[in-house]
Structures are given as C-alpha cells and as structure tokens.
Amino acid sequence: MENLFGEEVEVINGRLIGNSAPFSAAETDQIVDEVIHGGELLAELAHNLKRLRKLIASETTQSINKTRRDAWEDLLWVYDLYGCPTHVPFDLACDVVGVDPEQIRGAISGEFAGEIRLMAKVILERLPDKQEHVQRRLSPYVQLSLH
C-alpha cells in the first residue's frame, strides 16, 4: 500500500507495521508517558507549523518537500484525516495538557487555510474515494472548493 507521499508501506488491519519492534514494553510505556503527558506531540506540531510558515513565506512554487510533508502529517492528525484511528488522538493529546482541541484547530485553519486546501487537493487526487471523509472533517474549519 502507498502512503499519501507515494511511499510503499506495510499495513495490517489498517495499521502501519514495521519490520520489528524497536522498544521493549517498559520503554514503550516510558516513551508514551513523555510524548503524551510531556506534550511532545503538540510541541512537534508547533515546530512543524513554524517551519511551514517560513516555507510558505519564502517559496515561489509549491513543492511537496520534507517541511511540507512533516506539517501535512501533523495536519492529518489534527483534523483526524487518517483512515484508521491514530495511537494518540489529537483530542486526547490536547486534553492531557489542558488545551482546547477545537481552539487549536480553529487557529491552525485560520492561518493555514490555503495549505489545508492544497493538502486536501493532493489527498483527493490520490484517493478520490475519500472525498466525503475529507470534506466532513475539514468543512467546519476551511471552505473547500472541491469539485
């Protein structure tokens, strides 16, 4: 199966799989605690959106480079656009650190509406059968002109 960026990935029951488990159960529990309770997921989101902001301000053409890919992966998470449940839902990550997920979605969509539209266009070019899902998830935040 290909991911959004055309890379071949292995999936079982809608979940990405790797070649092996790199961490023990105890290490995994510690990482999850740091990532969720330490707010690292949201800090990474903020970092990637800052990088995207700089890219948008400096670019003359819209290319799908690493900066954009990193930000889009975060936007897929924020707006729940993955086809299967994520390990840590965005709402849970926000609740754990005491922020309102709807406020964050609204702020992101206010600043990055054009980028979200571009991302939706690319998704639907690759996965036209996802149009209803994409429109349902994004329409409260961004006016999509998808035909």
Side-chain angles (χ1 to χ4, degrees):
M1 169 182 217
E2 286 186 358
N3 66 11
L4 177 63
F5 307 108
E7 300 165 332
E8 198 63 33
V9 296
E10 292 183 66
V11 178
I12 294 180
N13 294 330
R15 295 219 180 259
L16 288 173
I17 60 168
N19 294 336
S20 65
F23 303 107
S24 69
E27 290 171 323
T28 300
D29 289 344
Q30 181 181 0
I31 291 167
V32 168
D33 187 54
E34 290 173 14
V35 168
I36 297 175
H37 297 288
E40 288 183 28
L41 288 172
L42 296 177
E44 183 177 334
L45 167 66
H47 172 74
N48 288 337
L49 291 179
K50 285 179 187 176
R51 290 175 46 223
L52 180 61
R53 185 182 300 125
K54 288 179 184 176
L55 174 70
I56 292 169
S58 68
E59 72 182 354
T60 55
T61 61
Q62 295 175 326
S63 63
I64 301 177
N65 57 24
K66 180 168 176 21
T67 298
R68 183 163 270 128
R69 287 173 54 173
D70 290 346
W72 283 12
E73 285 184 25
D74 286 342
L75 293 173
L76 291 171
W77 176 58
V78 168
Y79 294 101
D80 191 25
L81 292 172
Y82 284 108
C84 58
T86 58
H87 291 289
V88 179
F90 178 70
D91 287 14
L92 173 64
C94 290
D95 290 345
V96 166
V97 296
V99 295
D100 181 359
E102 288 304 312
Q103 275 189 317
I104 293 176
R105 285 185 188 104
I108 290 171
S109 64
E111 181 170 353
F112 294 100
E115 191 68 23
I116 293 169
R117 285 186 198 96
L118 175 63
M119 180 184 72
K121 178 182 174 196
V122 170
I123 290 170
L124 295 177
E125 285 173 357
R126 293 189 58 82
L127 305 165
D129 59 313
K130 300 296 182 185
Q131 182 167 350
E132 182 182 328
H133 176 72
V134 169
Q135 285 182 312
R136 185 175 66 254
R137 296 300 306 151
L138 293 178
S139 63
Y141 310 102
V142 177
Q143 178 64 39
L144 298 176
S145 298
L146 305 173
H147 302 290

